[in-house]
Amino acid sequence: MASPLSPIPFPPFLSSSSTTLTRRSLLLSSSFSTALNTPSLSSSSLSPPLDTTITDRVFLDFSLCPTYFRSTVTNTSTTAAAADTPLCTDPTPLGRIVLGLYGNLLPLTVSTFKLMCTSSSYKNTLVHKVFPGQFFQAGRQGRSREYGEVHLLPALDLPLNTETVDSKAFLLRHSRAGVVSLCLSENDDDDEVKLGSDYRNVEFLITTGPGPCPQLDNNNIVFGTVLEGLDVVTAIASIPTYKPSERIRLLNDLAEFFGDERAQKGRTLWNRPLKTVYISDCGEVQVTKPSMSPTLP
């Protein structure tokens, strides 16, 4: 024998004594139930859109060395002298990347990056890490320009970037190729440089696609986007890198467990490009009508 059906609940505006349900009463009952279960959206729960207006444009030219470079730059060289000394002879140009920067949203991060470009501080420095299908890194600081590392001079007088501790600075996502981000969780500047009282983080990354990089979200600051040159981004992403074997990874983990400092130094070689790719020139792109800057999502 079939179990009895449970009675249909009536909304308050229908008589509970009624035994006949019309099509209209069923529709009213359904509408009433939907209205009760639909949460109301208050104006306070809707946050305003982020201001991603492009306020500044800079360019980065990339080149490839035919062999591993032997730089003639010395540690005592000035920034200007280092910028005028190429990392290798007969480099192959890869092309130019034009970046649009979100100066209204992140004024400190953008002004620092722009100054690094206009002062040629990034010029003749390496792309030191490439993660295939994810991103590449550049702008690593070291104790010497001799090895293609960024060496900041006190004359630059970069401001302290307080946006690195502001939660609002981490709202943009690494959702596609061509996202420009300040390296925080991925930063691998020289440890001795980080201990300096005048240390400023200028290392950056650019996502290469094809998909998003959610592991970078909430840990690095997105401050711009690639406007031109995604083909150059793809070319850099395709450069072969050093990938340690599983045995080397296990030995490195063991060395780190026992506190061997060489473990961390060894990991700096992982994902290094097997060809020398570097920033051969950089600067600001002058726009005739900057007020017509587009707004990107």
Side-chain angles (χ1 to χ4, degrees):
M1 182 176 179
S3 59
L5 297 176
S6 58
I8 299 176
F10 291 93
F13 53 80
L14 292 180
S15 172
S16 59
S17 60
S18 174
T19 57
T20 304
L21 292 177
T22 65
R23 181 188 299 272
R24 181 174 179 275
S25 63
L26 284 174
L27 289 175
L28 287 174
S29 176
S30 176
S31 300
F32 178 78
S33 177
T34 302
L36 288 179
N37 295 326
T38 301
S40 60
L41 295 177
S42 61
S43 58
S44 60
S45 64
L46 298 176
S47 58
L50 299 175
D51 186 358
T52 54
T53 301
I54 294 174
T55 58
D56 303 272
R57 291 170 172 81
V58 296
F59 71 87
L60 300 172
D61 291 341
F62 291 86
S63 296
L64 192 66
C65 289
T67 57
Y68 196 77
F69 74 92
R70 287 184 175 273
S71 176
T72 58
V73 180
T74 62
N75 193 31
T76 57
S77 299
T78 64
T79 300
D84 292 335
T85 306
L87 293 186
C88 60
T89 57
D90 301 323
T92 301
L94 289 177
R96 171 169 292 187
I97 296 176
V98 176
L99 307 177
L101 310 180
Y102 308 143
N104 291 341
L105 183 64
L106 298 157
L108 286 174
T109 303
V110 166
S111 62
T112 297
F113 185 79
K114 181 181 176 181
L115 181 57
M116 290 293 295
C117 292
T118 56
S119 64
S120 298
S121 297
Y122 283 135
K123 188 175 179 180
N124 287 323
T125 60
L126 292 171
V127 173
H128 62 280
K129 289 286 183 72
V130 176
F131 296 84
Q134 299 181 62
F135 59 92
F136 68 81
Q137 293 175 240
R140 180 184 187 272
Q141 291 185 65
R143 287 165 287 176
S144 172
R145 283 296 295 258
E146 185 177 357
Y147 302 105
E149 297 172 321
V150 170
H151 181 62
L152 298 181
L153 295 179
L156 280 178
D157 193 24
L158 296 177
L160 182 65
N161 191 350
T162 56
E163 291 167 353
T164 59
V165 294
D166 185 356
S167 60
K168 296 179 181 178
F170 297 85
L171 296 179
L172 292 178
R173 302 302 182 203
H174 302 76
S175 57
R176 52 185 169 77
V179 171
V180 187
S181 185
L182 180 68
C183 289
L184 295 178
S185 66
E186 306 302 316
N187 181 281
D188 57 356
D189 287 336
D190 186 275
D191 288 338
E192 291 190 18
V193 173
K194 289 182 178 180
L195 293 176
S197 59
D198 56 348
Y199 170 73
R200 301 292 185 267
N201 183 10
V202 295
E203 186 176 339
F204 65 96
L205 63 85
I206 299 179
T207 57
T208 60
C213 294
Q215 76 276 16
L216 301 176
D217 294 342
N218 304 314
N219 297 307
N220 304 275
I221 299 178
V222 175
F223 64 92
T225 185
V226 173
L227 299 178
E228 301 175 21
L230 274 176
D231 57 326
V232 180
V233 173
T234 302
I236 296 173
S238 65
I239 295 175
T241 60
Y242 170 69
K243 296 181 178 61
S245 64
E246 186 63 26
R247 179 175 177 272
I248 291 179
R249 289 180 179 273
L250 291 174
L251 290 175
N252 186 277
D253 291 342
L254 184 62
E256 184 181 26
F257 177 78
F258 286 107
D260 193 332
E261 295 181 356
R262 293 174 296 179
Q264 183 177 0
K265 293 181 179 179
R267 285 197 299 273
T268 61
L269 299 175
W270 299 2
N271 294 102
R272 282 280 181 94
L274 297 180
K275 297 180 180 180
T276 300
V277 56
Y278 69 100
I279 300 171
S280 51
D281 200 5
C282 56
E284 184 179 7
V285 177
Q286 299 293 338
V287 181
T288 306
K289 295 181 180 180
S291 61
M292 297 181 65
S293 301
T295 299
L296 299 183

